[in-house]
Amino acid sequence: MSNPVLVPENQQFIVVVPAAGIGKRMLASCPKQYLTIDNQTILSHTINRLLSHKNIAKVVLAINDDDAYFAQTTLVDNANIIRVSGGKERVDSVLSGLQVINDMEWVLVHDAARPCITHDDIDKLIKQCLVNNSGGILAAPVVDTMKLAIKSNANETMEVSKTIDRSSLWHAFTPQMFKTKELKQAIEQAQVKGLTITDESSAIESAGLPCILVSGRRDNIKITRPEDLVLADFYLKQQIEQNKG
Ligand code: C5P
């Protein structure tokens, strides 16, 4: 039997947080990360969850150069937040964050719009990646029946083309964790090839590198539409009651 790999209790990591999006689908008057839940911005909830984890030392936060909201938050004076300029797409914001990380073997990336991330899930991801010596992502198997959609010829409505086998489909969440150098190179190569990169794993996949799926909680939602705010509020309160926050 091989020796178990021990995860050092005090190993410290940096998390890149892309937060330069506008969040058009929220139909709000400000970028969604600045909407509030319980008098705290979504961005604050997310960053507080990350920085209160025992293995997370710093957050590299990518925000828009024209962002007028961040300066008004309490996060502005936090010495554990390194601010960088966000880019046009999420992947540009992530790459901008990776450029300031030089001496860390591993890096985590977490969406600003996922405030319900729990310490247990972060523990699980870090442990699984270190034990397997592989990049990985929090994810969950798809539970609904999945349909491939096509636009109908008659009008603008969408119709079902066919049902997709869901047995090997998973929802990809964040955090996602990879070797810093490999992720940086994978993103740069994908950009040269003109590939569409919607998460870090897509870049790693295109470079032919492995990525493990670490089963995560389904309440780690990405706030995307107005109804998600109420849900996130509920989950945050539930998690605090259950000491998961
Ligand atoms: O829009 P969506 O929810 O997919 O964005 C995911 C995350 O990426 C959000 O935290 C958003 O702020 C961030 N993002 C970014 N730069 C962009 C677009 C999105 O940092 N240009």
Side-chain angles (χ1 to χ4, degrees), residues 49-83:
R49 283 277 168 110
L50 295 172
L51 285 177
S52 58
H53 187 280
K54 63 183 188 312
N55 299 108
I56 297 176
K58 290 200 186 302
V59 158
V60 175
L61 181 66
I63 59 175
N64 201 296
D65 284 343
D66 300 326
D67 185 320
Y69 300 91
F70 182 73
Q72 292 165 35
T73 68
T74 50
L75 298 171
V76 73
D77 297 321
N78 191 323
N80 292 322
I81 299 176
I82 303 160
R83 228 182 313 164

Side-chain angles (χ1 to χ4, degrees), residues 17-23 25 32-33 62 86-94 110-114 222-224:
V17 174
I22 307 165
R25 289 169 291 188
K32 63 181 175 183
Q33 56 273 26
K88 194 163 165 276
E89 305 291 337
R90 181 185 179 284
V91 64
D92 304 310
S93 300
V94 170
H110 184 62
D111 288 329
R114 289 186 193 270
K222 184 172 71 167
I223 296 179
T224 308

Side-chain angles (χ1 to χ4, degrees), residues 3-237:
N3 288 331
V5 178
L6 294 178
V7 178
E9 265 299 292
N10 55 359
Q11 187 167 352
Q12 294 295 291
F13 297 89
I14 294 182
V15 184
V16 173
V17 174
I22 307 165
K24 251 193 258 161
R25 289 169 291 188
M26 275 310 278
L27 310 169
S29 55
C30 68
K32 63 181 175 183
Q33 56 273 26
Y34 296 110
L35 294 173
T36 57
I37 296 176
D38 242 358
N39 293 321
Q40 239 194 92
T41 61
I42 291 171
L43 184 62
S44 292
H45 280 288
T46 304
I47 289 186
N48 291 339
R49 283 277 168 110
L50 295 172
L51 285 177
S52 58
H53 187 280
K54 63 183 188 312
N55 299 108
I56 297 176
K58 290 200 186 302
V59 158
V60 175
L61 181 66
I63 59 175
N64 201 296
D65 284 343
D66 300 326
D67 185 320
Y69 300 91
F70 182 73
Q72 292 165 35
T73 68
T74 50
L75 298 171
V76 73
D77 297 321
N78 191 323
N80 292 322
I81 299 176
I82 303 160
R83 228 182 313 164
V84 296
S85 294
K88 194 163 165 276
E89 305 291 337
R90 181 185 179 284
V91 64
D92 304 310
S93 300
V94 170
L95 190 57
S96 167
L98 292 175
Q99 304 299 2
V100 302
I101 302 175
N102 300 312
D103 50 356
M104 304 291 283
E105 184 183 9
W106 294 91
V107 67
L108 284 85
V109 179
H110 184 62
D111 288 329
R114 289 186 193 270
C116 305
I117 180 64
T118 62
H119 285 182
D120 284 354
D121 265 8
I122 297 172
D123 286 345
K124 222 167 149 184
L125 177 69
I126 292 176
K127 186 160 186 209
Q128 287 300 315
C129 289
L130 294 183
V131 165
N132 290 285
N133 193 28
S134 165
I137 65 174
L138 283 178
V142 159
V143 290
D144 296 306
T145 300
M146 304 302 284
K147 304 291 183 187
L148 183 70
I150 49 159
K151 214 172 248 178
S152 79
N153 284 333
N155 49 43
E156 285 296 287
T157 54
M158 301 298 286
E159 58 182 53
V160 174
S161 162
K162 61 174 182 175
T163 302
I164 306 283
D165 174 17
R166 71 174 178 212
S167 61
S168 55
L169 291 182
W170 288 56
H171 292 281
F173 302 153
T174 72
Q176 305 199 350
M177 175 167 161
F178 295 99
K179 297 221 166 134
T180 314
K181 229 201 252 166
E182 288 181 356
L183 180 59
K184 218 187 284 184
Q185 274 174 6
I187 292 178
E188 283 166 352
Q189 281 168 12
Q191 288 188 322
V192 170
K193 290 185 203 157
L195 303 176
T196 303
I197 299 297
T198 51
D199 69 348
E200 293 56 63
S201 176
S202 350
I204 289 290
E205 293 150 38
S206 72
L209 295 167
C211 172
I212 57 169
L213 291 163
V214 178
S215 178
R217 293 170 60 105
R218 289 175 187 276
D219 56 7
N220 180 15
I221 58 168
K222 184 172 71 167
I223 296 179
T224 308
R225 299 199 168 82
E227 60 269 28
D228 298 334
L229 261 191
V230 187
L231 211 50
D233 185 12
F234 173 78
Y235 285 145
L236 287 170
K237 290 191 173 111

